[in-house]
């Protein structure tokens, strides 16, 4: 199959909508990462998402809608869920709610719940409206690879497998949406994202974080969000995270580990890059938000540069730091050193 990567003009969005309504797959930008869309109500179309990504069958997809009204036919919306939609939609918050029968089992991997979100991106919204159906979309990467934050990342992974990628430039947030279960009395974060525990608690009164968010799952342990149990975000090089408030210690540890390796690269805060002159160093910005935005692209760059040892400075887990560290820790297979 020939894969077109086209600018997200009105005309090309209409083409994307038509392809989706015909059961085909379309790569498209959202505010978080690029998605690989299909008609969420078409079982065969949804199955082809799993095939294109090499995605394990037990990992449910998020269904994207263009507004709150479009969620009601798909799932049972409680007053709390509606309050959260009013506060955070359109935006990077996926709500897991009990599903209705219109959603095929393939879309939610046999679960009786479905994750629904309304993305805050003009191209995504226009595409969903053009398709006139809810759009199931995982991140548009090959399963196990870092999520795509640029159209060219989608092309690298999906070339020859899908007919169309809409290029809407770089994603603003850079890490995937917060996945929040609202099936119980207290909302529970299954995957952290830009919408934080504090943000949700301010609206819902309370909010918990699933304890699997910052630790590896045990063998045979059931994942509250099935996506968490699979190998994720992994670059090809071996990655280690160095944590700690004492910057001098962080710098000397990073230097020592760098010098032990032939083909290493340091990823650290912008303010520290000057300490590594003569060594290969990448900036991860000055805030967790900066890091969220560039992390996946940086991991793909490491692969492109064939870096075999990635030494990355971590953040503490407050605010958006939790989402960044959740992704970084998985990319590093939880190899985290406290300086
Ligand atoms: O920002 C995002 O959420 C992006 C863009 C494209 O919208 N999408 C995305 O989809 O990250 P994906 O498939 O890569 O991740 C979906 C996550 C998985 O960890 C999955 O297990 C979880 O959401 N999930 C989906 N439906 C669920 C459900 N019914 N119950 C629990 N977890 C669910
Ligand atoms: Mg994904």
């Amino acid at each position: 199959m020939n894969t077109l990567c086209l600018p997200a003009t009105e005309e090309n969005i209409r083409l994307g909508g038509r392809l989706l309504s015909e059961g085909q797959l379309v790569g498209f930008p959202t505010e978080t990462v690029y998605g690989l869309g299909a008609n969420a109500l078409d079982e065969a179309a949804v199955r082809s998402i799993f095939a294109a990504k090499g995605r394990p069958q037990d990992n449910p997809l998020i269904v994207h809608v263009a507004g709150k009204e479009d969620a009601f036919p798909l799932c049972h919306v409680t007053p709390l869920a509606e309050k959260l939609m009013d506060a955070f939609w359109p935006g990077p918050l996926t709500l897991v709610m009990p599903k209705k029968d219109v959603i095929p089992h393939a879309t939610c991997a046999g679960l009786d719940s479905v994750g629904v979100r309304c993305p805050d991106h003009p191209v995504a919204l226009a595409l969903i409206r053009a398709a006139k159906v809810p759009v199931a979309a995982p991140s548009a990467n090959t399963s196990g690879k870092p999520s795509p934050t640029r159209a060219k990342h989608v092309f690298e992974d999906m070339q020859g497998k899908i007919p169309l990628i809409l290029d809407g430039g770089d994603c603003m947030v850079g890490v995937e949406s917060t996945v929040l279960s609202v099936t119980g009395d207290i909302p529970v974060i299954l995957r952290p994202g830009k919408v934080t525990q504090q943000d949700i608690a301010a609206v819902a009164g309370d909010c918990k974080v699933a304890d699997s968010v910052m630790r590896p799952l045990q063998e045979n342990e059931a994942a509250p969000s099935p996506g968490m149990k699979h190998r994720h975000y992994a670059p090809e090089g071996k990655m280690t995270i160095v944590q700690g408030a004492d910057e001098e210690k962080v710098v000397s540890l990073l230097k020592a580990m760098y010098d032990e390796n032939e083909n290493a690269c340091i990823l650290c805060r912008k303010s520290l890059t000057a300490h590594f002159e003569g060594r290969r160093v990448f900036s991860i910005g000055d805030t967790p938000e900066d890091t969220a935005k560039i992390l996946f692209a940086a991991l793909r760059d490491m692969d492109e540069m064939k870096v075999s040892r990635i030494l990355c400075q971590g953040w503490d887990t407050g605010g958006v730091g939790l989402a960044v560290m959740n992704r970084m820790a998985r990319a590093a297979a939880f190899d985290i050193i406290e300086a």
Side-chain angles (χ1 to χ4, degrees), residues 71-95:
F72 291 102
L74 309 177
C75 53
H76 299 279
V77 180
T78 60
L80 171 63
E82 191 172 357
K83 204 167 155 186
L84 291 163
M85 290 173 186
D86 290 336
F88 297 108
W89 282 10
L93 178 68
T94 296
L95 295 168

Side-chain angles (χ1 to χ4, degrees), residues 37-109:
N39 176 356
L41 308 181
D42 176 343
E43 179 130 28
V46 164
R47 288 199 188 286
S48 56
I49 290 182
F50 285 84
K53 277 181 65 84
R55 182 177 176 102
Q57 296 287 340
D58 64 351
N59 194 1
L61 305 175
I62 292 172
V63 178
H64 297 68
V65 293
K68 178 174 97 171
E69 324 71 59
D70 296 342
F72 291 102
L74 309 177
C75 53
H76 299 279
V77 180
T78 60
L80 171 63
E82 191 172 357
K83 204 167 155 186
L84 291 163
M85 290 173 186
D86 290 336
F88 297 108
W89 282 10
L93 178 68
T94 296
L95 295 168
V96 173
M97 296 170 282
K99 82 174 198 74
K100 289 186 177 169
D101 288 344
V102 280
I103 305 276
H105 288 299
T107 303
C108 45

